Amino acid sequence: MDTRDEWIDLQLAGRGITDERVLAAFRSVPRAEFVPEELAEFAHEDEPLPIGGGQTISQPYIVALTVDALDLQGGERVLEVGTGSGYAAAVLGRLAGEVYTVERLESLADSASERLSRLGFTNVHVRCGDGTLGWPEHAPYDAIAVAAGGPEVPRALLDQLAPGGRLVMPVSAGERAQTLVRVTREADGHLHEDSLGPVRFVPLIGEQGWPEEGGLVR
Ligand code: SAM
C-alpha cells in the first residue's frame, strides 16, 4: 500500500465510504497533481487547500461524500458546477460516462482544462461560465454535483436533472456554513430531498446563486 492508499483508507473508508468503485476512483486520481506545486506535500491532508483566486480544492472526504451520494454506476452524463482544480471532475470522470464541468473564474477553468487533458481525462469537459445556469447543451444529466454553497438549488439545475437523476449541493440561508442536500428526481418527475449533513463551502456566485458583491462577507 502506498501513501496514496493509506489516506484513502483513513479518511474515506474509515468514515463510512464503502463503495469499492468510489474508493478505486480516488486511488486512481493523483491528488498532488491538482494542488499548487508548493502545497504538493499537503495534498493528502484532511482539509481543503487554496488553489488561487480565493478558491479551494475541497477536503477529500467531502468530495467522496458528494460522489458517493450520486450513486454512479458508469455511463452516466454528469454536470459539475465549480471545477476549481478539476480534482472532483477527474474522480467523477472515473465513475461516469461523460462529465461536463463549469467554472466561473477563467484562470481556474483554463488551468483545470490543461491539467485534465495532460493527465488523459478525455471524458471530462471544462467550460468557463456561470454554472448556476447549468450547461443546457448537454442536458439532461443523470447526476449533478455543485461544489459551492448557494441560497437554494438553482431552478436551471433542477430543470436539467433527468428523471431518476440525483443532485448534491451545499445550501444555506447565508454565511459559509451550509447543509449538503441531495435532491432526487423520481421517475414520475417528483422531487425528493434529503440531508447529508453540515458542510462549509465557498459561495456559489451567479445569476441563480449569491450576487457577486454585497450580502455576504467573502
Ligand atoms: N470541485 C473543485 C475541486 O475539485 O477542486 C473545488 C471547487 S471550489 C470549493 C468551488 C468553485 O466553485 C470555485 O472554483 C469557484 O470559483 C466556483 N464557482 C463559484 N460560483 C460558481 C458559478 N456560478 N459557476 C461556476 N463555478 C462557480
Side-chain angles (χ1 to χ4, degrees):
M1 190 190 296
D2 66 16
T3 50
R4 198 150 96 195
D5 289 345
E6 270 172 36
W7 72 268
I8 289 168
D9 286 355
L10 273 171
Q11 297 174 36
L12 309 191
R15 287 193 183 117
I17 306 292
T18 53
D19 184 335
E20 252 321 308
R21 282 191 73 240
V22 171
L23 296 172
F26 277 87
R27 285 190 194 103
S28 74
V29 178
R31 189 169 159 92
E33 296 280 350
F34 291 81
V35 305
E37 219 175 318
E38 64 277 14
L39 297 179
E41 63 181 299
F42 305 112
H44 301 151
E45 296 289 311
D46 189 17
E47 59 188 9
L49 292 171
I51 54 171
Q55 305 304 321
T56 54
I57 176 173
S58 304
Q59 179 191 6
Y61 172 65
I62 298 299
V63 180
L65 192 61
T66 301
V67 167
D68 197 47
L70 292 174
D71 193 23
L72 299 168
Q73 303 300 315
E76 290 93 345
R77 186 189 295 259
V78 178
L79 173 69
E80 186 201 26
V81 177
T83 315
S85 67
Y87 177 71
V91 172
L92 290 166
R94 293 287 199 231
L95 291 163
E98 297 294 325
V99 178
Y100 299 90
T101 178
V102 186
E103 169 57 52
R104 70 181 271 274
L105 298 180
E106 199 171 355
S107 57
L108 290 179
D110 287 349
S111 53
S113 180
E114 181 278 321
R115 178 178 295 124
L116 288 160
S117 43
R118 175 166 50 79
L119 296 172
F121 290 90
T122 53
N123 64 337
V124 181
H125 316 279
V126 183
R127 184 170 86 82
C128 182
D130 179 4
T132 67
L133 305 178
W135 191 337
E137 290 81 357
H138 300 288
Y141 299 98
D142 306 300
I144 299 179
V146 183
E152 60 189 2
V153 179
R155 186 73 242 169
L157 299 186
L158 292 175
D159 289 346
Q160 291 171 37
L161 189 62
R166 286 84 54 205
L167 175 152
V168 175
M169 171 176 168
V171 176
S172 76
E175 304 302 328
R176 286 188 177 224
Q178 304 100 10
T179 300
L180 195 63
V181 301
R182 173 173 53 189
V183 179
T184 306
R185 183 181 289 287
E186 311 289 357
D188 64 3
H190 183 80
L191 295 172
H192 169 81
E193 185 175 313
D194 59 323
S195 165
L196 305 175
V199 286
R200 277 176 90 78
F201 275 82
V202 296
L204 179 71
I205 299 168
E207 207 174 305
Q208 295 187 25
W210 297 110
E212 180 127 14
E213 286 178 5
L216 278 179
V217 179
R218 297 192 178 102

